[in-house]
Amino acid sequence: MFAKEATAPFDDNDWLFEIKWDGYRAITEKNKNKILLYSRNGLSFLSTYPIVVNELLKIKEDAVLDGEIVVMNADGNPDFQLLQHYTENQDKPIQYYIFDLLRLNGYDTTELTLTERKELLQKIIPQNEVIKYSDHILENGKAFFQVSKEKNLEGIMAKKITSKYYPGKRSSEWLKIKHHQTQEAIIAGYTEPSGARKYFGALVLAIKDGKKLKYIGHTGGGFNQNSLKEMYETLQPFITEKSPFDKKIKTNSPVTWVQPQLICEVKFAEITADGKLRQPIFLHLRNDKNINEVNMANTQTISKEKATTQQTEEAIDKDDRLFTFGKSKVKVSHINKILFPEDEITKGDIVEYYISMSAYILPYLQGRPQSLLRNPNGIHEKGFFHKDAAAKVPSFVNSKKVFSESNQKNIDYIICDNQATLTYMNNLGCIEINPWNSTIKDLDKPDYLIIDIDPSDKNTFNQVIEAANVVKQVLDKAGAESFCKTSGASGLHVFVPTAKKYTYEQVKDFAYIVCMMAHDELKDFTTLERNLQKRGNKHIYMDYLQNRKGQTIASVYSLRPKVGATVSTPLLWKELKSGLSPKEFTIHNTLNLVKKKGDIFNGVLGKGIDLNKCLKKLGA
């Protein structure tokens, strides 16, 4: 039984999730003391992996099993290269992860549900270092996928818990979700090397298109000097004078054709409109696959619904992509449009950033009206705010009508409750995400207090850091827990949890007292004057007016439409030292920083301060 492609994880209590092992799929048939162990195309593994065979004999029951053979590297992760060269790497741990049961003691189990099969399987697998039961988790696919990324694993498998086992069939009830887009390709030839490169320049890649071969590009990446030599020697017995293509293939240098018998796996950036792989990188050979299986994967399949509806899916332009989150589909247009020219960051890069960060940013957006700051033409075009949800807003987008005193009308605010809505907002050109301080549960009472430390062009960031630390000293004296983040631009934001205990007016007044006391310590370069002309150009504005209903500020983990693609990033107070720069925190490193430190900002949504006690401690 085979899985369909998917590229985005999902949560669903009707599904379970397993690790996607990077190895050889292997079927075991155990009958008394006889073992058969073979690949998906019938190649025997008996002599290749004898240690696995010996351990399989320890299973007491007769059974037909399905699993994956892997070899672990020094980091404890499956390594396909080590597996392929196992005869030279027999000191490395080899393991056979068994994930399904097709037959048990003469009884066919393929008609049982997956849950029932795995319950039986777990009971018969012995506990040892080679034969392993491939465990799973229920429902929480997104979190499991995130962990697999952190562990640098290949990805995850999603399987419907009620699924039966259909031998030889590719079912939408099994899905494989990888971190990278990959494609199996037939090697049709190789080009001459140039410069200092030896052996060959690039592999010519193909897939089966009916009975013919279709050219899908070439790859020279992913090789070192040793692997270039090894691949070159592997290809020599297959050299042929005739091109395997029925059409002329354009290449940058002369080609040596080979018989189309070897299969490799490559990772790539995207598939172009004419079916070519963009930026393919060689990963490894696949001798467990048949060339008739090598067709183009549907790389735009992103969830279980997409997998079942790919035949009827609406057509999308070559510069568009369809993202699916559960039952919600989001079409992102002009995905290759450059929005950060200096950094060559595209709209698609922004969407992928927010998808990768969704587990971290969504808790700070859910239930909150959004003021959409849109920059559809990039960061150098003037953006605009958009608050009213469109009449034809997708069904997965929640909204809330709020009466606006300034506009004297109801505004139907978008509420960003889910990943699909976040991607929808990105498609509208929202690089920066601006939520309210309160949620629709009680719009009049904010969850936190904000002090925006906003410098002028003449201030240094060291002065901003000094101002933030003085604000913290005042809050510490008040007994108020506080959290800090970069604004993503030139300032810092200090947050204090208030947990919907107080009105905006009460929170704003307390913020004013804190700012006033901090300003008393830093009169040389801070001000509470909001008017730009009156405050001068040498003063940091201690902005307490962010604490008003409907006022918004860039969310934690939000990108900012600034050169460098900076991100509003939380900091530990001990990190606020001279020499720190907000430019250090960007689209490129924020996810890794959060993985290392965790979400250190989540306390802002926790237990709120006791305002009366804080005021007493300050003598206010």
Side-chain angles (χ1 to χ4, degrees):
M1 183 170 174
F2 304 115
K4 290 191 175 182
E5 289 279 351
T7 55
F10 55 91
D11 292 340
D12 194 317
N13 56 15
D14 292 329
W15 291 66
L16 62 79
F17 302 90
E18 301 169 335
I19 292 171
K20 186 181 188 307
W21 300 106
D22 189 13
Y24 282 141
R25 184 84 174 270
I27 295 291
T28 296
E29 295 183 24
K30 180 185 178 293
N31 185 8
K32 297 183 173 58
N33 292 323
K34 183 180 179 182
I35 295 288
L36 294 178
L37 181 66
Y38 52 87
S39 72
R40 53 187 285 163
N41 55 2
L43 295 174
S44 175
F45 287 140
L46 292 178
S47 60
T48 314
Y49 308 117
I51 187 173
V52 175
V53 176
N54 291 336
E55 294 300 325
L56 283 168
L57 287 169
K58 296 179 181 178
I59 297 177
K60 296 179 180 179
E61 287 78 6
D62 290 344
V64 178
L65 311 168
D66 193 354
E68 193 103 358
I69 298 173
V70 299
V71 171
M72 301 297 182
N73 60 23
D75 296 325
N77 288 341
D79 190 315
F80 196 86
Q81 297 280 12
L82 294 178
L83 179 65
Q84 279 193 311
H85 300 87
Y86 183 63
T87 54
E88 297 97 49
N89 294 288
Q90 294 190 29
D91 58 320
K92 302 294 191 299
I94 188 169
Q95 294 170 343
Y96 180 31
Y97 279 91
I98 303 173
F99 49 72
D100 219 320
L101 176 68
L102 284 63
R103 197 168 184 84
L104 180 61
N105 294 327
Y107 291 96
D108 184 355
T109 57
T110 58
E111 290 295 310
L112 299 177
T113 67
L114 175 60
T115 303
E116 292 168 333
R117 298 197 306 272
K118 294 202 75 171
E119 286 176 354
L120 291 171
L121 176 64
Q122 189 172 19
K123 293 177 182 178
I124 68 171
I125 300 298
Q127 297 291 325
N128 64 50
E129 292 305 310
V130 177
I131 308 301
K132 301 283 187 180
Y133 169 73
S134 188
D135 213 337
H136 62 267
I137 68 155
L138 296 170
E139 185 177 350
N140 299 310
K142 293 179 182 179
F144 191 53
F145 184 74
Q146 186 63 38
V147 171
S148 76
K149 288 178 71 174
E150 292 171 3
K151 299 291 184 182
N152 199 30
L153 298 172
E154 187 183 12
I156 65 172
M157 299 295 299
K159 298 178 180 179
K160 201 163 188 178
I161 60 176
T162 57
S163 62
K164 298 177 181 180
Y165 191 102
Y166 303 106
K169 302 291 185 182
R170 190 172 300 279
S171 171
S172 60
E173 294 186 341
W174 283 19
L175 299 172
K176 48 187 174 183
I177 308 170
K178 302 178 183 178
H179 300 144
H180 303 288
Q181 296 189 97
T182 62
Q183 170 70 44
E184 275 116 24
I186 301 164
I187 300 174
Y190 59 88
T191 63
E192 285 187 2
S194 61
R197 189 176 176 110
K198 295 182 179 180
Y199 303 110
F200 65 89
L203 299 178
V204 179
L205 305 177
I207 57 169
K208 286 299 290 287
D209 186 9
K211 294 183 179 180
K212 299 179 180 179
L213 284 188
K214 178 182 178 181
Y215 172 67
I216 59 169
H218 56 273
T219 178
F223 295 97
N224 56 33
Q225 197 67 14
N226 289 334
S227 58
L228 276 170
K229 182 175 185 285
E230 183 180 3
M231 176 60 74
Y232 178 80
E233 292 173 348
T234 301
L235 292 170
Q236 297 313 294
F238 299 96
I239 289 177
T240 179
E241 292 184 2
K242 186 179 179 181
S243 168
F245 299 100
D246 64 344
K247 297 179 181 179
K248 188 174 181 180
I249 304 301
K250 294 181 180 179
T251 59
N252 295 328
S253 58
V255 177
T256 300
W257 302 112
V258 299
Q259 298 167 25
Q261 296 187 28
L262 298 177
I263 298 168
C264 68
E265 187 170 6
V266 297
K267 65 179 180 179
F268 61 95
E270 65 175 352
I271 299 176
T272 63
D274 58 352
K276 305 293 192 302
L277 302 182
R278 189 168 74 84
Q279 299 173 358
I281 302 294
F282 175 84
L283 295 175
H284 40 241
L285 287 172
R286 300 287 317 207
N287 56 17
D288 60 331
K289 299 288 181 76
N290 184 294
I291 64 169
N292 292 317
E293 299 178 72
V294 183
N295 301 293
M296 187 65 75
N298 182 0
T299 59
Q300 289 171 357
T301 300
I302 302 182
S303 79
K304 59 182 189 294
E305 284 74 22
K306 177 67 177 178
T308 59
T309 60
Q310 62 190 59
Q311 299 300 322
T312 58
E313 198 61 76
E314 62 179 301
I316 59 175
D317 295 335
K318 65 179 181 179
D319 200 29
D320 296 348
R321 291 291 181 274
L322 193 68
F323 292 84
T324 310
F325 309 98
K327 297 180 180 179
S328 305
K329 297 175 175 61
V330 187
K331 179 181 175 181
V332 177
S333 60
H334 308 298
I335 202 160
N336 295 314
K337 187 175 184 178
I338 300 288
L339 298 185
F340 290 76
E342 291 83 356
D343 304 284
E344 296 186 351
I345 292 171
T346 66
K347 187 177 186 180
D349 294 328
I350 293 165
V351 170
E352 291 295 342
Y353 167 78
Y354 278 111
I355 288 174
S356 72
M357 289 296 297
S358 60
Y360 299 107
I361 193 172
L362 278 174
Y364 302 96
L365 307 181
Q366 289 167 333
R368 300 180 189 279
Q370 301 292 319
S371 293
L372 308 185
L373 175 56
R374 298 174 59 182
N375 294 86
N377 295 315
I379 65 171
H380 295 308
E381 294 287 332
K382 187 176 180 180
F384 60 94
F385 274 98
H386 164 198
K387 296 182 180 180
D388 223 340
K392 294 184 179 180
V393 72
S395 59
F396 57 77
V397 176
N398 296 324
S399 64
K400 173 73 173 179
K401 289 185 177 179
V402 180
F403 184 75
S404 170
E405 293 288 348
S406 57
N407 295 298
Q408 286 297 298
K409 68 172 186 177
N410 282 324
I411 294 177
D412 193 18
Y413 282 93
I414 285 177
I415 310 296
C416 189
D417 284 333
N418 49 58
Q419 198 174 46
T421 301
L422 182 55
T423 300
Y424 170 75
M425 289 162 55
N426 297 152
N427 184 50
L428 294 177
C430 292
I431 297 171
E432 178 180 309
I433 310 299
N434 291 271
W436 276 33
N437 302 354
S438 54
T439 69
I440 55 176
K441 289 183 179 180
D442 193 339
L443 287 171
D444 295 314
K445 292 182 178 179
D447 293 277
Y448 37 72
L449 170 155
I450 301 174
I451 293 173
D452 180 8
I453 302 173
D454 183 17
S456 71
D457 293 339
K458 302 297 183 181
N459 293 116
T460 67
F461 196 67
N462 282 343
Q463 288 177 318
V464 176
I465 290 171
E466 185 178 356
N469 280 317
V470 171
V471 167
K472 183 182 187 298
Q473 290 170 15
V474 175
L475 291 169
D476 285 348
K477 183 179 178 181
E481 186 179 24
S482 60
F483 301 83
C484 184
K485 69 181 181 72
T486 67
S487 68
S490 57
L492 289 169
H493 298 156
V494 178
F495 279 57
V496 176
T498 55
K500 300 185 190 303
K501 295 180 181 180
Y502 311 102
T503 65
Y504 273 102
E505 194 69 20
Q506 290 170 317
V507 170
K508 176 172 65 71
D509 287 348
F510 180 57
Y512 172 71
I513 292 169
V514 173
C515 287
M516 185 171 60
M517 295 178 74
H519 168 62
D520 284 344
E521 297 290 323
L522 301 166
K523 288 185 177 180
D524 289 343
F525 60 88
T526 66
T527 180
L528 272 66
E529 177 56 60
R530 183 175 179 81
N531 186 287
L532 288 170
Q533 292 181 340
K534 292 182 179 179
R535 82 168 80 152
N537 63 357
K538 294 182 180 180
H539 293 90
I540 294 172
Y541 176 41
M542 310 291 282
D543 188 357
Y544 61 92
L545 294 175
Q546 294 291 346
N547 303 286
R548 294 181 295 178
K549 185 176 179 180
Q551 194 75 20
T552 62
I553 205 165
S555 171
V556 64
Y557 306 123
S558 172
L559 271 170
R560 299 297 302 273
K562 308 288 183 183
V563 174
T566 48
V567 171
S568 182
T569 306
L571 300 168
L572 297 169
W573 280 109
K574 64 182 180 181
E575 296 177 284
L576 237 62
K577 297 178 181 178
S578 178
L580 183 77
S581 169
K583 295 179 180 179
E584 297 173 26
F585 310 102
T586 71
I587 190 174
H588 304 297
N589 63 6
T590 299
L591 180 59
N592 287 333
L593 289 172
V594 178
K595 285 179 182 178
K596 288 179 182 178
K597 295 194 292 186
D599 182 13
I600 61 173
F601 207 64
N602 60 8
V604 305
L605 300 177
K607 182 181 178 182
I609 60 172
D610 186 322
L611 197 49
N612 287 322
K613 288 183 179 178
C614 289
L615 290 168
K616 287 179 182 178
K617 287 183 178 180
L618 292 177

